[in-house]
Structure formats: structure tokens, C-alpha cells
Amino acid sequence: MSLLELGFFSFPALLLMIFLRAPIGLAMLLAGIGGLWLATGDSNMFLSRLKTETYGTFSSYSLTIIPMFLLMGQFATLSGMSQALFRAAESFLGHRKGGVAMASVGACAGFGAICGSSLATAATMSRVALPELRRYGYSGGFSTATLAAGGTLGILIPPSVILVIYAILTEQNIAKLFLAAFIPGILAAIGYMLTISVYVRAHPDAAGTREPTPMAERMKALVDVWPVLLVFSLVVGGIYAGWFTPTEGAAVGAAGTGLIALASGNMNWTVFKESIIATATATGMIFFIVLGAALYNGFLALTQVPQELSSWVVGQGYSAWTVLIIVLAFYLVFGCLMDSLSMILLTIPIFFPVISQLDFGMSPEHVAIWFGILVLIVVEVGLITPPVGMNLFIINAMDKETPMAETYRAVMWFVSSDLIRVVILVLFPAITLFLIP
């Protein structure tokens, strides 16, 4: 068997391990190690590669941004920022038809701006918003679907852990990717709110009403969100202004949210230790997946699969847009079966060389940034697409009274909004690249 054939046959082996419920990091690690052993016939080869790849991967300065953003999210949860964001959004939107659900989406967008994790955003905002949605007569399926969709804003609105991984894999500028994600993130929040407006008119019994909040209380609630604006402006604004690198900005954000949590009275030594342990656990999980992907992608590079696939696609004469649509459709399908981080780590080293060889009438950097945002969005859709949408299971675990089938039916309205947004951003790349110099 040639190296190229070995590389292609590794895909069904990898998928089989995943479908047998092996952890994705372990599956990629075993596929990479086994592939290197078969390719070289030398057991010392993969052992040596395991040693050097581990050091080479985790000694990357850029990767330190991940635990910093995760810690920032932990501290933001402790400091009461999620409650303040929801109260402010609810005071302005809650009296409208479907307003409490719209407020939940708005609060998710605000929390995503200081968290960077979809699952953390969904879990945190659910604790805050679910009781209020139930209190005002919102149906269970509509409530859980809204929060699952709103949670996806955690990885789209900068800062985003997934965008950091994409930037490292494709050697792109993290700050520019954050900037490019800003407008699509705002469009996502607006699209979800429009979806809620349409849904409650199609299903009037799915949402209750509440009294308008007096203007004085609205202003007070708006003032209470100043810590969120401060942290977001300091981190994202500081990165764009060149005051510090993205990694330094993440450290500044973690320190800032930690001080705010301390000032709010929610931080003590026990809570601090729990935050550090939770951050370390999440970081360890992410880094193990990164290591598995690095070894597997190293094996694929040895077999020349990405290069051969790229050459084959270009040689077929397909238009660049046809190839892009096929790639995005692949992400939509497999996003229903795999988590977002695993999808990015597994597929970007294969698909990015293909896309970078095609002519979209833009500079290579703009193509890389635009493609990254598109991938992020379709991966985000996978988080709320049955049967394995991770956000759906997170929300369902917090509201066990609502049958999963009800959540599935309601969330498809939000999936439709996402698909419309993908089409718009594919047709009009300038929306994504508007802020990029």
C-alpha cells in the first residue's frame, strides 16, 4: 500500500473510532501514531515524533491565549456580569412580544464578548435566563432552543477560542480575525432576534408578556453593565490599538475580570481555586485534542494527502465557488456529529490548502480570513443541529423537564437563520472584510 493510500484509508479508521465513542483527541492520536508506524515500519519513529511534537506544540507562545480566555470566562461568571447583562437587556426588550427571549440572545452576545466559549456562554446564561423565561410563560422548547442558539455567539463574537486555533493552524493574524468576526457576530444576534419575532407570531402561545420597565430602572440596569464594556474595550480595543498582543490582551482581560469579581464580593480563596481547576481541566482537554490533531496532521503531511487533494481539486477545473460550497456543506453535515474544536483541528489542515489555491478575486490573506469566518459560522450551526448539537445537550441538562424533541423542533428556526446568514456572507465577502485594512 502506498503512503497516499494509507493516508486516505486512515479517514474511515478515524471515523470508526469516533463513532465507537472514543474521545476525539485519543482517536486522532491513535490514528496518527498507527499511521506513522505503518508508514515507516519503525516503532521508534512515532515515539520520537510523540516527544518532539508534544514539546513543539505546547511550547507555542500563541497557545497561552487559550487558558487566559478560559480563565477570563470563569471570572466573568463569578463577578455577576451575566446577571447584569440579562437585566439590562430585559429592561429594554422584555415588554415586547418575545422580548425576554430577545434579551437572552442580547445577553449571550454581551457575555460572549468576554468569554470566548460557546458551551460556557450557553451554560452560564441558562442559569440566569431560564427561570425568567419560565416565569413569563415561555414554552420549554422555545426557551431551550433560544438559549442554545444564543450560546453559539460565544465563539463568534470576539474574543473566540476557536478563532485562535484557526489563526494558529493557518498562520493568520489573530487581531484581524477578531475584527472580521465582529460584524458577522452582530448580524447573528440580530438574525436570532428576528427569528424570535417571527416564531412568536407563528406560535403565539410560546411566549408570555411582562410589564414595561420604568425608565429609571432601565438606566440603572444599563449602568450596571459597565464592567463588561470596560473589559471588552480594554481587551479588544487594546489589541486593535496595538497596546498589547492578543496573548497579552487575554492576560489583561483575565486579570481585569478577576479584580471585578473580587470587588463584587464573589471571589474568595475557595472560589479562586475552583476557577483555576476548571480552567486547567478545560485547557487540558483542549490541549490533548490539539496534540492528537498535530500528530495526525503530521502523518497526513507525510502521506501528501492535503497536497494531492489540493492538486486534484484544482486540476478538475471546478470553480472556486463550487468548491467552497462543497466544503461548507461538508462542515454542516459533520458539524452535526462532531464538536467544533475537533472539526477545526481535523479539517483545516486538509481544506485550507485547497481553498488557498483557488481564485476568489481577493488577496490570499483576505481569502484566509473570510474562509475562517465562514467555517466558524457553519461550525457554530453544528452546535445547535440535531442529533449531536453540543449546546442542545448542555441546555437540556439544565432543563430536564423539557423533552429534547421540543427543543429540536424549535431550534430549527434558528438553524434557518444561520443558513441565511451563511448565504449572505458567501455572496458578499465585503461584509466580513469591511473592517480589515
Side-chain angles (χ1 to χ4, degrees):
M1 183 182 298
S2 68
L3 287 178
L4 186 62
E5 291 173 336
L6 183 62
F8 278 114
F9 278 117
S10 70
F11 287 110
L14 175 62
L15 292 176
L16 177 62
M17 285 189 283
I18 293 172
F19 290 143
L20 290 175
R21 305 189 68 82
I24 182 67
L26 179 61
M28 287 192 287
L29 186 71
L30 293 176
I33 289 175
L36 286 170
W37 193 349
L38 291 174
T40 62
D42 183 3
S43 61
N44 292 326
M45 171 66 180
F46 73 79
L47 290 174
S48 175
R49 186 62 182 267
L50 181 62
K51 177 184 68 176
T52 57
E53 195 71 55
T54 303
Y55 176 79
T57 299
F58 297 143
S59 62
S60 170
Y61 175 71
S62 299
L63 277 179
T64 57
I65 194 174
I66 294 175
M68 290 296 100
F69 277 142
L70 293 176
L71 185 60
M72 185 167 73
Q74 287 288 330
F75 288 157
T77 303
L78 291 173
S79 63
M81 292 182 182
S82 56
Q83 293 92 329
L85 283 165
F86 181 74
R87 285 195 300 268
E90 186 184 29
S91 66
F92 282 91
L93 298 172
H95 61 283
R96 300 178 180 276
K97 187 66 173 176
V100 181
M102 295 180 187
S104 301
V105 170
C108 285
F111 192 76
I114 53 173
C115 178
S117 167
S118 175
L119 299 182
T121 299
T124 300
M125 294 311 305
S126 294
R127 286 192 288 267
V128 177
L130 265 178
E132 286 293 293
L133 289 165
R134 288 304 183 92
R135 176 184 174 188
Y136 291 109
Y138 284 70
S139 67
F142 179 44
S143 300
T144 52
T146 297
L147 290 168
T152 64
L153 299 174
I155 65 170
L156 184 55
I157 293 182
S160 166
V161 171
I162 300 296
L163 272 184
V164 171
I165 295 292
Y166 176 85
I168 293 172
L169 290 174
T170 59
E171 299 181 350
Q172 298 300 313
N173 185 291
I174 295 176
K176 288 185 178 180
L177 278 165
F178 282 177
L179 195 61
F182 187 73
I183 293 180
I186 298 300
L187 287 178
I190 294 173
Y192 287 160
M193 290 184 185
L194 290 175
T195 300
I196 291 169
S197 180
V198 173
Y199 186 91
V200 296
R201 283 162 175 76
H203 303 85
D205 296 335
T209 57
R210 67 184 292 276
E211 293 297 319
T213 303
M215 187 55 67
E217 293 185 23
R218 293 185 186 184
M219 292 299 103
K220 182 180 182 301
L222 194 61
V223 170
D224 289 342
V225 302
W226 70 265
V228 178
L229 298 176
L230 176 63
V231 172
F232 179 77
S233 301
L234 185 61
V235 174
V236 179
I239 292 172
Y240 296 150
W243 296 344
F244 31 68
T245 67
T247 304
E248 293 166 347
V252 169
T257 49
L259 291 174
I260 292 171
L262 184 63
S264 68
N266 296 320
M267 177 77 79
N268 55 42
W269 181 245
T270 301
V271 172
F272 177 77
K273 287 194 298 183
E274 290 176 354
S275 298
I276 296 297
I277 291 172
T279 300
T281 302
T283 301
M285 178 194 68
I286 292 173
F287 277 21
F288 183 69
I289 297 174
V290 170
L291 176 62
L295 281 165
Y296 183 63
N297 291 327
F299 159 67
L300 290 181
L302 177 66
T303 63
Q304 297 288 301
V305 167
Q307 296 88 335
E308 291 293 333
L309 181 61
S310 177
S311 300
W312 181 83
V313 170
V314 173
Q316 296 304 303
Y318 297 132
S319 72
W321 300 97
T322 300
V323 175
L324 177 66
I325 291 170
I326 293 173
V327 169
L328 294 180
F330 174 89
Y331 276 111
L332 286 172
V333 172
F334 274 80
C336 304
L337 306 173
M338 298 174 64
D339 66 274
S340 55
L341 177 62
S342 303
M343 281 286 290
I344 293 290
L345 287 166
L346 178 61
T347 59
I348 287 300
I350 299 171
F351 289 148
F352 182 72
V354 175
I355 295 298
S356 61
Q357 292 292 319
L358 302 174
D359 182 14
F360 292 95
M362 295 178 279
S363 69
E365 182 185 41
H366 281 180
V367 170
I369 292 173
W370 173 57
F371 179 64
I373 301 304
L374 290 176
V375 168
L376 186 69
I377 292 173
V378 291
V379 165
E380 161 207 324
V381 177
L383 290 171
I384 59 172
T385 305
V388 196
M390 295 296 293
N391 277 19
L392 301 179
F393 287 98
I394 291 290
I395 303 299
N396 185 255
M398 305 186 74
D399 184 17
K400 296 182 179 179
E401 297 179 4
T402 301
M404 183 63 84
E406 291 185 16
T407 304
Y408 282 169
R409 285 194 293 269
V411 83
M412 295 311 296
W413 289 70
F414 295 96
V415 172
S416 299
S417 172
D418 282 329
L419 295 179
I420 292 171
R421 179 160 38 95
V422 170
V423 172
I424 292 173
L425 294 178
V426 167
L427 294 177
F428 304 101
I431 296 175
T432 301
L433 303 174
F434 176 72
L435 299 175
I436 306 300

